[in-house]
Amino acid sequence: NTGAVQWEFNSAIQWDPLGVTAIPADDFISGTAFATAAELGGGMPDTVFVANENRYITALDAATGGLLWTTNELGTGVLSNLTFTTIDAFTGVGVARGNAPVVMVPTADGRFSALFARAGAGFGATNVFGGKLAWEYTTPGAPLYSSLSVGRAHMFGADSTGYIYAFNDFGNGFGDNIDGPGEDTVGPNDNSNI
């Protein structure tokens, strides 16, 4: 560990994450999130998650900078830091739930969105529709400037209207019994959506 730069991403160039259309990849306003291979499971390497104002959330191999996955399905920019955690999410098979690694994205349009963190397909990587969205809560306050913090089976966030939110995951999934000013969004893998 010499402190030398191992790789870098030059945001002054045009980035082509899907091999279709080059897009400017600047405005990294939000902070990154990091997860170890052990935390992610599923054969994933140590991973860094990034987001910027081009509306893409991206997972990169922490050792090489190689692209693992990218999505723009949230359709909005990100102004605050990303957070890695695990949640009890619907698997898409009946009402079954499973523990899944996710990256939490506080969006510019006021949503706390959980994206499956693993690359590939199947539970923990994609929802039943092939997207990354695992769970979401819409606040009345946008944009979201604060990151989410996680500890002791709770996740905390704040919106720009002055509300602080405490979500729990005591085996019943985030979103149950929430009585607040926002709206718990039905996730793609929720049984009522299948």
Side-chain angles (χ1 to χ4, degrees):
N1 189 359
T2 64
V5 174
Q6 299 297 306
W7 58 268
E8 63 183 26
F9 178 79
N10 183 352
S11 63
I13 61 171
Q14 297 288 307
W15 185 39
D16 190 7
L18 303 177
V20 180
T21 305
I23 54 175
D26 54 5
D27 297 335
F28 283 98
I29 298 170
S30 71
T32 61
F34 174 80
T36 66
E39 291 172 314
L40 287 163
M44 289 283 293
D46 291 349
T47 303
V48 62
F49 301 93
V50 299
N52 66 6
E53 283 304 288
N54 69 5
R55 299 181 179 190
Y56 280 86
I57 293 86
T58 301
L60 302 169
D61 183 315
T64 67
L67 179 67
L68 299 172
W69 60 260
T70 192
T71 183
N72 65 352
E73 70 188 82
L74 298 180
T76 187
V78 179
L79 303 174
S80 59
N81 298 343
L82 304 177
T83 304
F84 174 81
T85 191
T86 58
I87 66 170
D88 190 25
F90 283 106
T91 63
V93 180
V95 294
R97 294 178 186 257
N99 193 261
V102 296
V103 60
M104 294 302 305
V105 182
T107 66
D109 64 359
R111 295 174 286 155
F112 296 125
S113 301
L115 299 179
F116 286 118
R118 292 186 189 130
F123 181 72
T126 58
N127 59 41
V128 294
F129 301 113
K132 302 296 282 178
L133 186 64
W135 175 85
E136 188 169 77
Y137 185 83
T138 303
T139 72
L144 297 178
Y145 293 111
S146 69
S147 60
L148 292 147
S149 61
V150 177
R152 298 186 182 226
H154 283 81
M155 181 171 62
F156 304 92
D159 70 18
S160 58
T161 61
Y163 285 95
I164 296 175
Y165 302 88
F167 304 97
N168 76 57
D169 193 15
F170 294 119
N172 61 355
F174 289 132
D176 290 354
N177 301 318
I178 293 175
D179 186 20
E183 177 183 339
D184 189 28
T185 304
V186 175
N189 283 2
D190 189 306
N191 192 39
S192 63
N193 230 6
I194 298 174

